[in-house]
Amino acid sequence: MQYTWNDIEQHVSACTHCPLCRTRQRPVMGRGSHRASIMLIAEAPGGQEDRQGVPFVGSSGEILDRLLGDCGLKREELYITNIIKCHPPGNRDPKEEEKEACFPYLKYETFLLKPGIIVCLGRVAAQRIISPDFKITRQHGTWICRKNCALTATFHPSAVLRDPSKYETVKKDFLGIAEKLRSLNTDKPIDIVGK
Ligand code: URA
């Protein structure tokens, strides 16, 4: 059976696959265009996202919007999601078992979207999606190709909040993403994020 976007959303909203279901206020399903070529994958919803049930509505979202605007990209052209769909208390890193419990949702999102470009925002997403030994400081802005999809990573917008001098570095990475979008081949791949 082939799940629809609606099916995934229903499953996420009722999910009890890990203990975060007891502390979350609202699960945060990915948002954006279901026809987008670019999928942004971040780590986990923050406190504001937990209250609203929408990704990147807090202060990290403001940085993200500024980066997108500076690079001529619009949120409506993207699909934005997280490795885990529920807020970890105190914004701690997601645990291994939480990431694994949530991974099928990301697989379905990727399968339905078939993005040509995946951008991991931050170390946690890059290490889960690109490679477990990905070094965000050394490897941000580099590209690999997997099953006809271009994958890259940059710093998480919250890293820019903590250290505003990183803004220009992340902006350069986003300019590379905008350029990649322009050069995109329109064949849509499947099964990109692996097991
Ligand atoms: N940080 C994330 O990693 N994801 C969000 O949705 C918001 C903040």
Side-chain angles (χ1 to χ4, degrees):
M1 189 191 115
Q2 161 101 50
Y3 283 119
T4 64
W5 285 106
N6 207 25
D7 295 328
I8 302 169
E9 182 139 20
Q10 303 262 314
H11 281 285
V12 168
S13 67
C15 185
T16 55
H17 290 170
C18 87
L20 292 178
C21 68
R22 294 199 285 272
T23 50
R24 72 172 180 228
Q25 293 191 38
R26 300 178 66 173
V28 179
M29 173 70 186
R31 273 282 174 107
S33 168
H34 292 167
R35 299 183 46 76
S37 294
I38 302 181
M39 182 183 216
L40 299 188
I41 306 179
E43 179 178 327
Q48 190 68 25
E49 289 77 18
D50 183 49
R51 287 186 282 282
Q52 296 192 35
V54 178
F56 283 98
V57 285
S59 41
S60 296
E62 285 173 25
I63 300 279
L64 181 62
D65 285 336
R66 209 177 120 204
L67 283 162
L68 295 175
D70 279 356
C71 300
L73 294 165
K74 297 194 189 70
R75 264 208 203 203
E76 309 80 78
E77 297 172 321
L78 314 170
Y79 183 83
I80 307 179
T81 193
N82 284 294
I83 297 279
I84 65 167
K85 309 304 191 226
C86 294
H87 174 56
N91 276 333
R92 63 161 169 73
D93 279 1
K95 295 181 181 167
E96 258 343 284
E97 58 270 28
E98 294 161 355
K99 289 188 271 188
E100 292 328 300
C102 227
F103 204 63
Y105 299 130
L106 184 62
K107 290 233 12 156
Y108 280 119
E109 288 174 289
T110 313
F111 179 80
L112 288 176
L113 189 66
K114 298 180 175 49
I117 297 173
I118 287 183
V119 180
C120 299
L121 296 177
R123 170 187 56 86
V124 169
Q127 291 187 344
R128 183 62 186 84
I129 302 300
I130 299 178
S131 159
D133 55 10
F134 194 91
K135 301 278 184 291
I136 195 79
T137 306
R138 277 215 317 265
Q139 292 175 274
H140 71 88
T142 61
W143 291 88
I144 61 160
C145 186
R146 189 183 290 159
K147 298 185 182 168
N148 217 15
C149 178
L151 289 94
T152 190
T154 189
F155 292 100
H156 193 285
S158 64
V160 178
L161 275 177
R162 287 192 296 275
D163 174 7
S165 73
K166 279 202 168 71
Y167 187 85
E168 288 304 317
T169 305
V170 180
K171 183 174 148 188
K172 204 163 151 225
D173 291 344
F174 268 89
L175 286 169
I177 294 158
E179 193 181 320
K180 183 70 81 179
L181 180 64
R182 287 193 291 275
S183 70
L184 203 64
N185 143 5
T186 52
D187 286 353
K188 292 238 177 173
I190 55 166
D191 192 25
I192 304 146
V193 293
K195 291 192 196 61

